[in-house]
Amino acid sequence: MASLLSPRRTDVDLALHASVPADPDRGRTSPEPQRLRIGWPLAALVGVLLSVAATWLLVAGLAVVGWVAGDPGSLNGALRVGTRLWLAGSGVGVQLGRVDVTLVPWGLTALTAVLLSRAAAFAARSARPDTEPRPLPLALFVVGCYLLPVLVVAAAEGRPSLAPGHLAVVVAVLALAALHGAARALGVSLTRRWPAWLRPVPRAVVGAQVVLVASGAAVLITAVVRHLDRVTALQEQLHPGVTGAIALLGAQLALAPNAFVWATSYALGGGFTLGNGSIVAPGGTDLGVLPGLPLLGALPGEGPGPVVALWWLAAGVLAGTVAAWLVVRARPQARFDETSLVGGLAGLTGGLVFVGLAWAASGDLGILRLSGLGPLLLPLLVMAVTTLGLSGMVTGLALGLGRRRSRRTATVPETATVLETATVPETEATEVLHRRAGATALKPDAAEPGAAVPSTDEPTEILRPPATPGRPEQSR
């Protein structure tokens, strides 16, 4: 009887195979969710209107908060003040009471630029496939949609003729922000058609501005920390309360970029003014009548400036170095004279651009002693151009010489290896080859019996090692 554990069949070739039915959806990617494409013009218009509403509500809300904490007045008056401050953030000159204000609060302008950049990106993503726009027309359309309500409100509440230059600069900044947002959403490089030598220049200039503004922020924060008691005293003298403190904080945040640029002018040695007769510079400070902002408590005391303040001049050197490095690293094969030239030009351009920013951050908060607030442009022009230009030139020269030395070091081992391989020792025996047309050279002792020995009457070719320089060749 067969065992219960023994196989019933003795066929060893029997094999079991299992197959899994193929999944028809395996390997397929899930379809992307369909986006709502309403067309880029309508999307741009919606995005711009939302940006306008958001910025106006923010400024008008802070004005209402200040009205609640301040003297009695009407809500309509508070809203009109907020509307005029919103126009000031768009570069339009306004009149507050009897005071003409042309100082642009660049904090509000920066917020508007960010919102318009997002609006342009939203419009680019909402475009239909058959009507995909180009970045420049889309950016111009976005800025045009923004300017339409601004100019309409300015005709009723503002005075655009007070500072037309500031309005033009603000429009240019907003257009660049919208162009950047549209180009990123469309995946288009704005510098793809530029010459190769020009493409790294915008990056170098922007890098220099970032270093300069960061240095100005460091100067301002250091001053606030050192004179925190005076800042606190000015805050307490105003008795703003909770709501007033919120409005005051919003006003100072709106003017923070202006303060950073002014502090950078101080760090570069040019200094700035807070009205006729007031000068703040590393060499000395002379103060007059000042507005009651707590942030102004961080100003240095009157008299000659401390020697330690001169260390802030290194900010310009660092900015020129960064600009030169960014533009030189894109030219790896350039000679040291070329790297020095382009480094100096990058630093020079960065200095000129910052002078333009300093002019845009200047303005008036009234007449007489509160007019002409901002950096001293002529001293700043001299200090910024010379400091950034010279530091960029020296940095470019150092980078070029360093590359030249590294290339020489890399070629020396290869040359030495080739010379060592080609040199033949003098102790090596001289090889004599007998060549004859149609025959192979054989030695007499290696020839077979009866074989013909090649004649040695034919000219022979003697290979000798190359003679050592400075030593006569030995004859054998």
Side-chain angles (χ1 to χ4, degrees):
M1 181 177 178
S3 173
L4 295 176
L5 300 178
S6 62
R8 295 180 180 273
R9 299 185 59 177
T10 59
D11 188 2
V12 297
D13 296 332
L14 180 63
L16 298 178
H17 299 278
S19 60
V20 180
D23 187 2
D25 296 332
R26 187 178 182 181
R28 298 181 182 178
T29 58
S30 59
E32 296 183 357
Q34 295 293 332
R35 294 178 179 177
L36 179 61
R37 298 182 180 273
I38 59 177
W40 68 268
L42 181 58
L45 181 60
V46 172
V48 170
L49 292 179
L50 290 176
S51 302
V52 170
T55 53
W56 181 83
L57 287 175
L58 177 62
V59 180
L62 290 176
V64 171
V65 170
W67 164 69
V68 172
D71 296 333
S74 63
L75 178 62
N76 186 25
L79 291 177
R80 291 187 65 181
V81 170
T83 302
R84 293 179 182 182
L85 292 177
W86 173 75
L87 289 176
S90 301
V92 180
V94 296
Q95 189 174 15
L96 297 177
R98 297 182 180 180
V99 176
D100 293 334
V101 177
T102 61
L103 185 66
V104 179
W106 279 97
L108 179 58
T109 307
L111 177 61
T112 305
V114 172
L115 293 178
L116 290 185
S117 177
R118 297 293 181 87
F122 171 70
R125 289 191 296 266
S126 301
R128 296 187 179 93
D130 55 340
T131 60
E132 186 171 309
R134 294 183 179 180
L136 183 58
L138 176 57
L140 294 179
F141 183 81
V142 168
V143 174
C145 292
Y146 177 79
L147 283 179
L148 183 61
V150 168
L151 295 179
V152 170
V153 177
E157 297 291 339
R159 299 180 62 183
S161 59
L162 285 178
H166 286 177
L167 177 59
V169 171
V170 170
V171 171
V173 170
L174 297 180
L176 288 176
L179 181 62
H180 180 263
R184 290 195 62 181
L186 295 173
V188 177
S189 175
L190 297 176
T191 60
R192 68 184 187 278
R193 296 183 179 180
W194 290 15
W197 60 270
L198 189 59
R199 293 175 186 173
V201 174
R203 188 182 301 109
V205 173
V206 172
Q209 307 313 306
V210 171
V211 172
L212 290 174
V213 175
S215 302
V219 172
L220 182 60
I221 294 173
T222 303
V224 169
V225 172
R226 290 185 58 189
H227 304 98
L228 187 59
D229 53 345
R230 289 191 295 184
V231 175
T232 306
L234 286 175
Q235 180 80 15
E236 293 176 352
Q237 289 176 5
L238 295 176
H239 302 290
V242 177
T243 56
I246 295 175
L248 191 59
L249 177 61
Q252 293 183 101
L253 289 178
L255 293 173
N258 303 65
F260 292 161
V261 174
W262 297 5
T264 305
S265 178
Y266 176 87
L268 290 175
F272 59 92
T273 177
L274 293 171
N276 295 332
S278 299
I279 297 177
V280 181
T285 301
D286 185 11
L287 300 177
V289 178
L290 300 177
L293 288 176
L295 187 62
L296 297 180
L299 293 174
E302 291 188 313
V307 180
V308 70
L310 298 178
W311 284 102
W312 290 113
L313 294 174
V317 178
L318 180 60
T321 301
V322 170
W325 177 74
L326 289 175
V327 76
V328 168
R329 72 171 186 171
R331 308 173 66 89
Q333 302 300 327
R335 302 189 307 271
F336 66 92
D337 54 345
E338 185 178 353
T339 57
S340 177
L341 178 61
V342 297
L345 290 177
L348 177 66
T349 306
L352 291 176
V353 170
F354 180 77
V355 174
L357 291 179
W359 170 80
S362 306
D364 302 332
L365 282 179
I367 57 177
L368 298 178
R369 297 188 65 86
L370 290 180
S371 62
L373 307 180
L376 300 172
L377 296 180
L378 184 57
L380 177 62
L381 176 64
V382 175
M383 295 299 298
V385 168
T386 54
T387 304
L388 273 73
L390 289 176
S391 60
M393 182 181 299
V394 173
T395 302
L397 178 62
L399 292 175
L401 292 177
R403 288 178 180 177
R404 184 182 182 186
R405 183 177 181 181
S406 61
R407 283 196 292 265
R408 284 185 175 182
T409 306
T411 55
V412 166
E414 298 178 1
T415 307
T417 304
V418 172
L419 293 177
E420 182 180 357
T421 305
T423 304
V424 181
E426 296 184 358
T427 57
E428 186 176 340
T430 305
E431 182 181 2
V432 181
L433 299 179
H434 299 272
R435 298 186 182 275
R436 184 176 182 181
T440 304
L442 298 175
K443 294 183 180 180
D445 53 356
E448 297 181 0
V453 179
S455 175
T456 59
D457 296 335
E458 296 293 333
T460 60
E461 179 180 356
I462 302 176
L463 300 181
R464 300 180 182 274
T468 303
R471 296 181 58 182
E473 182 179 0
Q474 297 179 359
S475 60
R476 295 181 179 272

